[in-house]
Amino acid sequence: LSPHCFLVIAHSRGIGSKMAPVSKRYTMQKPFSKLMLLIANLLIPFFLAGVGIANPSVSKTHDNKTVAVANLVQQTGSEISQRRQRSSKLSQPQGIAVDNITGKLYWTDSGTHKIYSANIDGTGQEIVVTWTPNPRRIAVHKGKIYWTDSGNHQIHRANTDGSGREILARGLCNPQGIAICSAAGNLYWTDTGTHQIYRANLNGSGRQILIRWSHHPRGIAIDSAGSKLYWIDSGNHQIRRSNLDGSKNQVVVKWAPNPQGIAVDDVGGKIYWTDSGTHQIHRANLNGSEVETLVKWTYDPRGIAVDSVGGKIYWTDSRTHQIYRADLDGSQLEILIGSLENNQSALADRH
């Protein structure tokens, strides 16, 4: 636990009258951990090259294109490494959001420290934010993008073209998921460092702790029609929900090995989530019943977004450095954005 997060947690638990200002990000260096990480990085590529990666598939296959794309996803660790060296692929795509009104996608990349946009068919890629230290999840609402950044422990907002950037919340510990309730005009986010969930007005004012304990909460989503809040409780390997005021906190999915991102289709009455433990995409009814596996293999899925109007789901994969798209039932799987190499002329630095 970093000194910064210790101060944030102490403040949230009421220890001390004031939280000391933090002007720098501190990290703890553990020689043994660094040695083990180095050994793992050296051995894993050889292991993956020998055993390969399990065959990817989707729950339903309607045409040869789906089969071809699924086969394309199948790569050994060494092949992925070689391909990454040859091209300027996405680095570490994390959060993703879809704007149904404008037909745009927005995603964060913690490897390039940027935020990008594209049309929902993957064309017209642009850089909208050229620098943000460690962006995690992202949300879009009425011409604005909102994102969490665990590198500077802040929440930011900007216009969808990257202009008018603002800091909405400072002094956070490890902010991760972010969601917006359009009806109430509130902003929600999770913090894995404090193990809490927060709510504020869209301009960052009126900040309050909504859920005082959730073991490593990550992705978060809003069911506007049902006035419910859903989130990933990764420490307990569960998915939980509550009312928008934090009351009636309950478990809806009792077991998920390593859930990451979550999205709600309030039109279809479904929740969707990514799981880097099962390497799959799942969905269930809003009450957690009838769990389905939609995509049976995706290497390291992170953020997920639902386009209820277009009937599509989108998700990022930080290991294959790609963004995928499929129908709501998991069929018609395709690699939507796999490389920036052929789109450099279209990338325009805005900020």
Side-chain angles (χ1 to χ4, degrees):
L1 187 67
S2 71
H4 174 90
C5 285
F6 176 80
L7 291 172
V8 174
I9 294 171
H11 180 69
S12 67
R13 300 288 189 268
I15 303 173
S17 59
K18 295 183 179 180
M19 183 174 68
V22 180
S23 59
K24 296 182 179 180
R25 182 188 181 189
Y26 297 90
T27 57
M28 298 180 69
Q29 301 294 331
K30 297 183 178 180
F32 179 75
S33 298
K34 292 175 69 178
L35 176 61
M36 294 303 294
L37 181 60
L38 176 61
I39 293 173
N41 286 335
L42 290 173
L43 293 180
I44 286 174
F46 292 101
F47 172 76
L48 291 176
V51 302
I53 298 173
N55 290 332
S57 61
V58 295
S59 56
K60 298 179 181 179
T61 303
H62 296 287
D63 54 29
N64 293 331
K65 180 180 178 182
T66 302
V67 175
V69 173
N71 289 335
L72 180 60
V73 177
Q74 180 184 1
Q75 299 286 346
T76 65
S78 60
E79 287 172 339
I80 291 173
S81 178
Q82 292 169 6
R83 192 169 72 248
R84 188 180 183 190
Q85 292 175 3
R86 291 197 303 267
S87 63
S88 54
K89 296 180 67 62
L90 304 184
S91 180
Q92 295 290 325
Q94 298 291 331
I96 189 167
V98 59
D99 188 341
N100 294 321
I101 298 176
T102 62
K104 288 281 190 179
L105 286 176
Y106 299 87
W107 69 93
T108 61
D109 194 312
S110 61
T112 62
H113 315 286
K114 292 177 172 60
I115 296 177
Y116 301 86
S117 72
N119 298 321
I120 56 173
D121 62 359
T123 62
Q125 297 174 49
E126 293 183 322
I127 298 171
V128 295
V129 175
T130 61
W131 176 259
T132 182
N134 192 16
R136 309 310 293 175
R137 301 298 189 254
I138 188 170
V140 59
H141 174 67
K142 292 185 177 180
K144 301 276 188 182
I145 53 173
Y146 298 74
W147 71 96
T148 55
D149 194 309
S150 61
N152 55 27
H153 318 287
Q154 296 174 346
I155 293 178
H156 297 256
R157 175 173 75 173
N159 296 324
T160 52
D161 64 357
S163 64
R165 183 168 170 176
E166 307 170 75
I167 299 174
L168 301 183
R170 304 173 184 266
L172 308 179
C173 184
N174 192 14
Q176 294 289 324
I178 189 168
I180 291 172
C181 178
S182 302
N186 286 327
L187 179 68
Y188 295 80
W189 70 90
T190 62
D191 195 310
T192 59
T194 63
H195 305 281
Q196 294 175 335
I197 297 176
Y198 300 82
R199 180 174 69 180
N201 298 321
L202 291 180
N203 63 1
S205 65
R207 185 164 120 195
Q208 63 182 123
I209 299 172
L210 201 66
I211 303 294
R212 291 196 168 272
W213 178 261
S214 181
H215 196 187
H216 283 90
R218 292 190 180 277
I220 191 170
I222 302 291
D223 171 16
S224 298
S227 298
K228 296 290 185 182
L229 178 69
Y230 290 80
W231 72 92
I232 299 293
D233 189 323
S234 63
N236 290 316
H237 312 283
Q238 296 173 338
I239 295 176
R240 306 185 70 92
R241 78 174 176 184
S242 72
N243 292 331
L244 293 178
D245 62 0
S247 63
K248 295 187 178 180
N249 183 345
Q250 63 181 144
V251 176
V252 291
V253 176
K254 294 181 179 179
W255 176 253
N258 194 16
Q260 298 289 330
I262 187 169
V264 172
D265 176 10
D266 48 15
V267 176
K270 299 284 186 179
I271 53 173
Y272 294 76
W273 69 93
T274 59
D275 195 310
S276 61
T278 62
H279 310 283
Q280 295 173 339
I281 308 296
H282 304 274
R283 80 172 173 183
N285 294 328
L286 293 176
N287 64 2
S289 64
E290 298 184 18
V291 175
E292 302 174 78
T293 298
L294 302 182
V295 178
K296 294 182 179 179
W297 180 265
T298 177
Y299 205 147
D300 190 14
R302 296 291 171 158
I304 187 169
V306 173
D307 177 6
S308 302
V309 177
K312 296 286 186 181
I313 53 174
Y314 301 80
W315 70 94
T316 61
D317 192 308
S318 65
R319 183 64 179 86
T320 61
H321 322 288
Q322 294 173 334
I323 294 175
Y324 297 88
R325 178 173 71 173
D327 287 348
L328 293 177
D329 63 358
S331 63
Q332 305 299 324
L333 170 66
E334 58 183 316
I335 299 173
L336 190 68
I337 300 172
S339 174
L340 298 178
E341 185 176 45
N342 298 322
N343 299 284
Q344 290 301 313
S345 60
L347 293 174
D349 285 0
R350 299 296 182 90
H351 288 273

mmCIF file of all heavy atoms in Angstrom, residues 80 84 89-95 108-111 136-137 260 274 276 279 298-303 315-324:
data_model
loop_
_atom_site.group_PDB
_atom_site.id
_atom_site.type_symbol
_atom_site.label_atom_id
_atom_site.label_comp_id
_atom_site.label_asym_id
_atom_site.label_seq_id
_atom_site.Cartn_x
_atom_site.Cartn_y
_atom_site.Cartn_z
ATOM 1 N N ILE A 80 2.272 -13.218 -30.829
ATOM 2 C CA ILE A 80 1.753 -11.909 -30.412
ATOM 3 C C ILE A 80 2.897 -10.935 -30.197
ATOM 4 O O ILE A 80 2.845 -9.781 -30.611
ATOM 5 C CB ILE A 80 0.916 -12.049 -29.127
ATOM 6 C CG1 ILE A 80 -0.370 -12.815 -29.435
ATOM 7 C CG2 ILE A 80 0.594 -10.688 -28.529
ATOM 8 C CD1 ILE A 80 -1.183 -13.140 -28.200
ATOM 9 N N ARG A 84 3.570 -7.530 -32.326
ATOM 10 C CA ARG A 84 3.616 -6.239 -31.657
ATOM 11 C C ARG A 84 4.865 -5.461 -32.050
ATOM 12 O O ARG A 84 4.841 -4.247 -32.175
ATOM 13 C CB ARG A 84 3.565 -6.449 -30.144
ATOM 14 C CG ARG A 84 3.403 -5.150 -29.378
ATOM 15 C CD ARG A 84 3.359 -5.405 -27.899
ATOM 16 N NE ARG A 84 3.134 -4.165 -27.189
ATOM 17 C CZ ARG A 84 3.239 -4.039 -25.877
ATOM 18 N NH1 ARG A 84 3.561 -5.073 -25.141
ATOM 19 N NH2 ARG A 84 3.024 -2.884 -25.299
ATOM 20 N N LYS A 89 0.641 -1.421 -32.659
ATOM 21 C CA LYS A 89 -0.667 -1.821 -32.195
ATOM 22 C C LYS A 89 -1.067 -1.009 -30.968
ATOM 23 O O LYS A 89 -0.252 -0.336 -30.374
ATOM 24 C CB LYS A 89 -0.663 -3.311 -31.846
ATOM 25 C CG LYS A 89 -0.401 -4.230 -33.024
ATOM 26 C CD LYS A 89 -0.420 -5.658 -32.613
ATOM 27 C CE LYS A 89 -1.797 -6.091 -32.180
ATOM 28 N NZ LYS A 89 -2.805 -6.001 -33.234
ATOM 29 N N LEU A 90 -2.347 -1.146 -30.617
ATOM 30 C CA LEU A 90 -2.759 -0.577 -29.353
ATOM 31 C C LEU A 90 -1.887 -1.185 -28.267
ATOM 32 O O LEU A 90 -1.493 -2.337 -28.347
ATOM 33 C CB LEU A 90 -4.232 -0.896 -29.084
ATOM 34 C CG LEU A 90 -5.258 -0.471 -30.138
ATOM 35 C CD1 LEU A 90 -6.662 -0.789 -29.638
ATOM 36 C CD2 LEU A 90 -5.140 0.993 -30.482
ATOM 37 N N SER A 91 -1.617 -0.429 -27.258
ATOM 38 C CA SER A 91 -0.690 -0.904 -26.237
ATOM 39 C C SER A 91 -1.412 -1.623 -25.101
ATOM 40 O O SER A 91 -1.341 -2.838 -24.975
ATOM 41 C CB SER A 91 0.130 0.269 -25.685
ATOM 42 O OG SER A 91 1.028 -0.167 -24.699
ATOM 43 N N GLN A 92 -2.125 -0.888 -24.261
ATOM 44 C CA GLN A 92 -2.849 -1.479 -23.143
ATOM 45 C C GLN A 92 -4.253 -0.867 -23.072
ATOM 46 O O GLN A 92 -4.564 -0.110 -22.145
ATOM 47 C CB GLN A 92 -2.099 -1.236 -21.827
ATOM 48 C CG GLN A 92 -0.761 -1.915 -21.720
ATOM 49 C CD GLN A 92 -0.905 -3.423 -21.582
ATOM 50 O OE1 GLN A 92 -1.840 -3.906 -20.968
ATOM 51 N NE2 GLN A 92 0.019 -4.168 -22.158
ATOM 52 N N PRO A 93 -5.127 -1.178 -24.036
ATOM 53 C CA PRO A 93 -6.482 -0.615 -23.992
ATOM 54 C C PRO A 93 -7.218 -1.066 -22.739
ATOM 55 O O PRO A 93 -7.146 -2.228 -22.351
ATOM 56 C CB PRO A 93 -7.133 -1.153 -25.266
ATOM 57 C CG PRO A 93 -6.363 -2.398 -25.599
ATOM 58 C CD PRO A 93 -4.957 -2.126 -25.158
ATOM 59 N N GLN A 94 -7.901 -0.141 -22.098
ATOM 60 C CA GLN A 94 -8.557 -0.423 -20.814
ATOM 61 C C GLN A 94 -10.061 -0.189 -20.907
ATOM 62 O O GLN A 94 -10.793 -1.059 -21.326
ATOM 63 C CB GLN A 94 -7.923 0.441 -19.723
ATOM 64 C CG GLN A 94 -6.444 0.198 -19.481
ATOM 65 C CD GLN A 94 -6.151 -1.144 -18.853
ATOM 66 O OE1 GLN A 94 -6.977 -1.689 -18.129
ATOM 67 N NE2 GLN A 94 -4.979 -1.695 -19.120
ATOM 68 N N GLY A 95 -10.499 1.004 -20.551
ATOM 69 C CA GLY A 95 -11.924 1.295 -20.568
ATOM 70 C C GLY A 95 -12.429 1.609 -21.954
ATOM 71 O O GLY A 95 -11.672 2.042 -22.834
ATOM 72 N N THR A 108 -9.643 4.236 -23.442
ATOM 73 C CA THR A 108 -8.409 4.664 -22.791
ATOM 74 C C THR A 108 -7.313 3.642 -23.076
ATOM 75 O O THR A 108 -7.588 2.456 -23.286
ATOM 76 C CB THR A 108 -8.595 4.785 -21.275
ATOM 77 O OG1 THR A 108 -8.961 3.498 -20.745
ATOM 78 C CG2 THR A 108 -9.678 5.790 -20.939
ATOM 79 N N ASP A 109 -6.078 4.102 -23.069
ATOM 80 C CA ASP A 109 -4.936 3.213 -23.272
ATOM 81 C C ASP A 109 -3.860 3.594 -22.260
ATOM 82 O O ASP A 109 -3.241 4.658 -22.364
ATOM 83 C CB ASP A 109 -4.404 3.334 -24.695
ATOM 84 C CG ASP A 109 -3.447 2.199 -25.061
ATOM 85 O OD1 ASP A 109 -2.540 1.912 -24.249
ATOM 86 O OD2 ASP A 109 -3.592 1.606 -26.146
ATOM 87 N N SER A 110 -3.666 2.732 -21.269
ATOM 88 C CA SER A 110 -2.700 3.043 -20.213
ATOM 89 C C SER A 110 -1.266 2.864 -20.677
ATOM 90 O O SER A 110 -0.336 3.322 -20.014
ATOM 91 C CB SER A 110 -2.962 2.157 -18.989
ATOM 92 O OG SER A 110 -2.820 0.785 -19.314
ATOM 93 N N GLY A 111 -1.063 2.189 -21.811
ATOM 94 C CA GLY A 111 0.284 2.017 -22.350
ATOM 95 C C GLY A 111 0.768 3.231 -23.115
ATOM 96 O O GLY A 111 1.929 3.622 -23.015
ATOM 97 N N ARG A 136 -7.857 4.657 -16.755
ATOM 98 C CA ARG A 136 -8.494 3.363 -16.534
ATOM 99 C C ARG A 136 -9.824 3.300 -17.292
ATOM 100 O O ARG A 136 -9.846 3.057 -18.461
ATOM 101 C CB ARG A 136 -8.690 3.133 -15.033
ATOM 102 C CG ARG A 136 -7.443 3.335 -14.177
ATOM 103 C CD ARG A 136 -6.218 2.587 -14.707
ATOM 104 N NE ARG A 136 -6.384 1.147 -14.607
ATOM 105 C CZ ARG A 136 -5.499 0.277 -15.081
ATOM 106 N NH1 ARG A 136 -4.414 0.710 -15.690
ATOM 107 N NH2 ARG A 136 -5.707 -1.017 -14.958
ATOM 108 N N ARG A 137 -10.933 3.549 -16.639
ATOM 109 C CA ARG A 137 -12.228 3.438 -17.302
ATOM 110 C C ARG A 137 -12.722 4.799 -17.790
ATOM 111 O O ARG A 137 -12.230 5.844 -17.362
ATOM 112 C CB ARG A 137 -13.250 2.811 -16.363
ATOM 113 C CG ARG A 137 -12.865 1.420 -15.870
ATOM 114 C CD ARG A 137 -12.744 0.424 -17.024
ATOM 115 N NE ARG A 137 -12.586 -0.939 -16.519
ATOM 116 C CZ ARG A 137 -11.453 -1.612 -16.536
ATOM 117 N NH1 ARG A 137 -10.365 -1.045 -17.016
ATOM 118 N NH2 ARG A 137 -11.387 -2.855 -16.088
ATOM 119 N N GLN A 260 -13.732 -8.000 -14.467
ATOM 120 C CA GLN A 260 -13.068 -6.714 -14.712
ATOM 121 C C GLN A 260 -14.066 -5.597 -15.000
ATOM 122 O O GLN A 260 -14.295 -4.733 -14.176
ATOM 123 C CB GLN A 260 -12.080 -6.867 -15.871
ATOM 124 C CG GLN A 260 -10.953 -7.846 -15.620
ATOM 125 C CD GLN A 260 -9.947 -7.348 -14.616
ATOM 126 O OE1 GLN A 260 -9.716 -6.149 -14.488
ATOM 127 N NE2 GLN A 260 -9.334 -8.265 -13.872
ATOM 128 N N THR A 274 -16.810 -8.738 -18.352
ATOM 129 C CA THR A 274 -15.607 -9.413 -18.821
ATOM 130 C C THR A 274 -14.958 -10.132 -17.641
ATOM 131 O O THR A 274 -15.069 -9.681 -16.500
ATOM 132 C CB THR A 274 -14.603 -8.423 -19.417
ATOM 133 O OG1 THR A 274 -14.240 -7.455 -18.407
ATOM 134 C CG2 THR A 274 -15.188 -7.676 -20.608
ATOM 135 N N SER A 276 -11.186 -11.875 -16.864
ATOM 136 C CA SER A 276 -9.844 -12.253 -17.308
ATOM 137 C C SER A 276 -9.401 -13.571 -16.686
ATOM 138 O O SER A 276 -8.358 -14.114 -17.059
ATOM 139 C CB SER A 276 -8.835 -11.146 -16.981
ATOM 140 O OG SER A 276 -8.780 -10.919 -15.579
ATOM 141 N N HIS A 279 -11.264 -15.851 -19.188
ATOM 142 C CA HIS A 279 -10.950 -15.376 -20.545
ATOM 143 C C HIS A 279 -12.218 -15.372 -21.409
ATOM 144 O O HIS A 279 -12.185 -15.726 -22.587
ATOM 145 C CB HIS A 279 -9.863 -16.237 -21.202
ATOM 146 C CG HIS A 279 -8.657 -16.442 -20.343
ATOM 147 N ND1 HIS A 279 -7.706 -15.462 -20.167
ATOM 148 C CD2 HIS A 279 -8.264 -17.506 -19.602
ATOM 149 C CE1 HIS A 279 -6.759 -15.921 -19.351
ATOM 150 N NE2 HIS A 279 -7.079 -17.142 -18.990
ATOM 151 N N THR A 298 -11.279 -14.919 -25.017
ATOM 152 C CA THR A 298 -10.649 -13.633 -25.295
ATOM 153 C C THR A 298 -9.570 -13.490 -24.237
ATOM 154 O O THR A 298 -9.828 -13.694 -23.048
ATOM 155 C CB THR A 298 -11.671 -12.475 -25.285
ATOM 156 O OG1 THR A 298 -10.988 -11.232 -25.496
ATOM 157 C CG2 THR A 298 -12.465 -12.413 -23.995
ATOM 158 N N TYR A 299 -8.362 -13.181 -24.649
ATOM 159 C CA TYR A 299 -7.184 -13.395 -23.811
ATOM 160 C C TYR A 299 -7.251 -12.672 -22.456
ATOM 161 O O TYR A 299 -7.248 -13.283 -21.405
ATOM 162 C CB TYR A 299 -5.932 -12.962 -24.579
ATOM 163 C CG TYR A 299 -4.658 -13.641 -24.131
ATOM 164 C CD1 TYR A 299 -3.650 -13.920 -25.044
ATOM 165 C CD2 TYR A 299 -4.454 -14.012 -22.812
ATOM 166 C CE1 TYR A 299 -2.473 -14.551 -24.643
ATOM 167 C CE2 TYR A 299 -3.297 -14.631 -22.401
ATOM 168 C CZ TYR A 299 -2.301 -14.898 -23.319
ATOM 169 O OH TYR A 299 -1.153 -15.507 -22.922
ATOM 170 N N ASP A 300 -7.324 -11.364 -22.464
ATOM 171 C CA ASP A 300 -7.322 -10.595 -21.216
ATOM 172 C C ASP A 300 -8.320 -9.446 -21.336
ATOM 173 O O ASP A 300 -7.940 -8.284 -21.430
ATOM 174 C CB ASP A 300 -5.917 -10.063 -20.933
ATOM 175 C CG ASP A 300 -5.799 -9.470 -19.524
ATOM 176 O OD1 ASP A 300 -6.697 -9.705 -18.712
ATOM 177 O OD2 ASP A 300 -4.798 -8.778 -19.266
ATOM 178 N N PRO A 301 -9.627 -9.764 -21.323
ATOM 179 C CA PRO A 301 -10.645 -8.730 -21.513
ATOM 180 C C PRO A 301 -10.696 -7.761 -20.344
ATOM 181 O O PRO A 301 -10.552 -8.159 -19.192
ATOM 182 C CB PRO A 301 -11.939 -9.544 -21.627
ATOM 183 C CG PRO A 301 -11.673 -10.774 -20.814
ATOM 184 C CD PRO A 301 -10.214 -11.077 -21.043
ATOM 185 N N ARG A 302 -10.912 -6.493 -20.651
ATOM 186 C CA ARG A 302 -10.953 -5.445 -19.621
ATOM 187 C C ARG A 302 -12.294 -4.705 -19.654
ATOM 188 O O ARG A 302 -13.281 -5.168 -19.137
ATOM 189 C CB ARG A 302 -9.773 -4.491 -19.827
ATOM 190 C CG ARG A 302 -8.404 -5.159 -19.644
ATOM 191 C CD ARG A 302 -8.167 -5.522 -18.216
ATOM 192 N NE ARG A 302 -6.982 -6.345 -18.016
ATOM 193 C CZ ARG A 302 -6.337 -6.444 -16.870
ATOM 194 N NH1 ARG A 302 -6.765 -5.753 -15.829
ATOM 195 N NH2 ARG A 302 -5.300 -7.243 -16.742
ATOM 196 N N GLY A 303 -12.311 -3.533 -20.277
ATOM 197 C CA GLY A 303 -13.547 -2.757 -20.317
ATOM 198 C C GLY A 303 -14.543 -3.327 -21.298
ATOM 199 O O GLY A 303 -14.182 -4.006 -22.266
ATOM 200 N N TRP A 315 -15.524 -4.637 -26.441
ATOM 201 C CA TRP A 315 -14.636 -4.812 -25.292
ATOM 202 C C TRP A 315 -13.176 -4.684 -25.711
ATOM 203 O O TRP A 315 -12.806 -4.861 -26.877
ATOM 204 C CB TRP A 315 -14.881 -6.142 -24.584
ATOM 205 C CG TRP A 315 -14.471 -7.378 -25.324
ATOM 206 C CD1 TRP A 315 -13.290 -8.055 -25.226
ATOM 207 C CD2 TRP A 315 -15.263 -8.112 -26.276
ATOM 208 N NE1 TRP A 315 -13.295 -9.158 -26.051
ATOM 209 C CE2 TRP A 315 -14.491 -9.217 -26.693
ATOM 210 C CE3 TRP A 315 -16.550 -7.939 -26.807
ATOM 211 C CZ2 TRP A 315 -14.965 -10.142 -27.620
ATOM 212 C CZ3 TRP A 315 -17.011 -8.847 -27.729
ATOM 213 C CH2 TRP A 315 -16.233 -9.931 -28.134
ATOM 214 N N THR A 316 -12.356 -4.352 -24.718
ATOM 215 C CA THR A 316 -10.922 -4.218 -24.944
ATOM 216 C C THR A 316 -10.207 -5.460 -24.436
ATOM 217 O O THR A 316 -10.686 -6.133 -23.517
ATOM 218 C CB THR A 316 -10.362 -2.991 -24.214
ATOM 219 O OG1 THR A 316 -10.585 -3.140 -22.796
ATOM 220 C CG2 THR A 316 -11.026 -1.709 -24.693
ATOM 221 N N ASP A 317 -9.071 -5.762 -25.035
ATOM 222 C CA ASP A 317 -8.228 -6.873 -24.591
ATOM 223 C C ASP A 317 -6.805 -6.354 -24.478
ATOM 224 O O ASP A 317 -6.167 -6.023 -25.482
ATOM 225 C CB ASP A 317 -8.299 -8.041 -25.573
ATOM 226 C CG ASP A 317 -7.690 -9.311 -25.017
ATOM 227 O OD1 ASP A 317 -6.532 -9.247 -24.547
ATOM 228 O OD2 ASP A 317 -8.350 -10.365 -25.051
ATOM 229 N N SER A 318 -6.325 -6.259 -23.244
ATOM 230 C CA SER A 318 -5.014 -5.641 -23.022
ATOM 231 C C SER A 318 -3.860 -6.560 -23.396
ATOM 232 O O SER A 318 -2.727 -6.098 -23.532
ATOM 233 C CB SER A 318 -4.871 -5.213 -21.555
ATOM 234 O OG SER A 318 -4.881 -6.328 -20.696
ATOM 235 N N ARG A 319 -4.117 -7.847 -23.579
ATOM 236 C CA ARG A 319 -3.038 -8.774 -23.936
ATOM 237 C C ARG A 319 -2.859 -8.889 -25.438
ATOM 238 O O ARG A 319 -1.736 -8.968 -25.936
ATOM 239 C CB ARG A 319 -3.311 -10.159 -23.325
ATOM 240 C CG ARG A 319 -2.193 -11.174 -23.582
ATOM 241 C CD ARG A 319 -0.899 -10.747 -22.904
ATOM 242 N NE ARG A 319 0.165 -11.714 -23.132
ATOM 243 C CZ ARG A 319 0.967 -11.729 -24.182
ATOM 244 N NH1 ARG A 319 0.812 -10.819 -25.144
ATOM 245 N NH2 ARG A 319 1.914 -12.631 -24.303
ATOM 246 N N THR A 320 -3.956 -8.903 -26.183
ATOM 247 C CA THR A 320 -3.854 -8.946 -27.643
ATOM 248 C C THR A 320 -3.768 -7.545 -28.237
ATOM 249 O O THR A 320 -3.581 -7.402 -29.440
ATOM 250 C CB THR A 320 -5.057 -9.676 -28.273
ATOM 251 O OG1 THR A 320 -6.266 -8.972 -27.951
ATOM 252 C CG2 THR A 320 -5.153 -11.107 -27.763
ATOM 253 N N HIS A 321 -3.950 -6.517 -27.384
ATOM 254 C CA HIS A 321 -3.844 -5.116 -27.799
ATOM 255 C C HIS A 321 -4.883 -4.778 -28.873
ATOM 256 O O HIS A 321 -4.587 -4.095 -29.852
ATOM 257 C CB HIS A 321 -2.426 -4.810 -28.317
ATOM 258 C CG HIS A 321 -1.347 -5.493 -27.539
ATOM 259 N ND1 HIS A 321 -1.008 -5.117 -26.266
ATOM 260 C CD2 HIS A 321 -0.558 -6.556 -27.843
ATOM 261 C CE1 HIS A 321 -0.038 -5.912 -25.818
ATOM 262 N NE2 HIS A 321 0.238 -6.793 -26.744
ATOM 263 N N GLN A 322 -6.100 -5.258 -28.659
ATOM 264 C CA GLN A 322 -7.145 -5.074 -29.657
ATOM 265 C C GLN A 322 -8.475 -4.700 -29.017
ATOM 266 O O GLN A 322 -8.676 -4.844 -27.814
ATOM 267 C CB GLN A 322 -7.304 -6.358 -30.486
ATOM 268 C CG GLN A 322 -6.082 -6.668 -31.343
ATOM 269 C CD GLN A 322 -6.163 -8.027 -32.021
ATOM 270 O OE1 GLN A 322 -6.827 -8.928 -31.532
ATOM 271 N NE2 GLN A 322 -5.464 -8.181 -33.130
ATOM 272 N N ILE A 323 -9.390 -4.231 -29.880
ATOM 273 C CA ILE A 323 -10.769 -3.970 -29.482
ATOM 274 C C ILE A 323 -11.655 -4.858 -30.334
ATOM 275 O O ILE A 323 -11.495 -4.931 -31.553
ATOM 276 C CB ILE A 323 -11.138 -2.488 -29.669
ATOM 277 C CG1 ILE A 323 -10.321 -1.624 -28.699
ATOM 278 C CG2 ILE A 323 -12.635 -2.270 -29.442
ATOM 279 C CD1 ILE A 323 -10.522 -0.133 -28.877
ATOM 280 N N TYR A 324 -12.588 -5.532 -29.681
ATOM 281 C CA TYR A 324 -13.458 -6.486 -30.360
ATOM 282 C C TYR A 324 -14.908 -6.017 -30.328
ATOM 283 O O TYR A 324 -15.302 -5.212 -29.488
ATOM 284 C CB TYR A 324 -13.377 -7.853 -29.684
ATOM 285 C CG TYR A 324 -12.011 -8.488 -29.731
ATOM 286 C CD1 TYR A 324 -11.068 -8.223 -28.734
ATOM 287 C CD2 TYR A 324 -11.646 -9.351 -30.757
ATOM 288 C CE1 TYR A 324 -9.807 -8.792 -28.767
ATOM 289 C CE2 TYR A 324 -10.386 -9.930 -30.802
ATOM 290 C CZ TYR A 324 -9.474 -9.648 -29.797
ATOM 291 O OH TYR A 324 -8.217 -10.218 -29.832
#
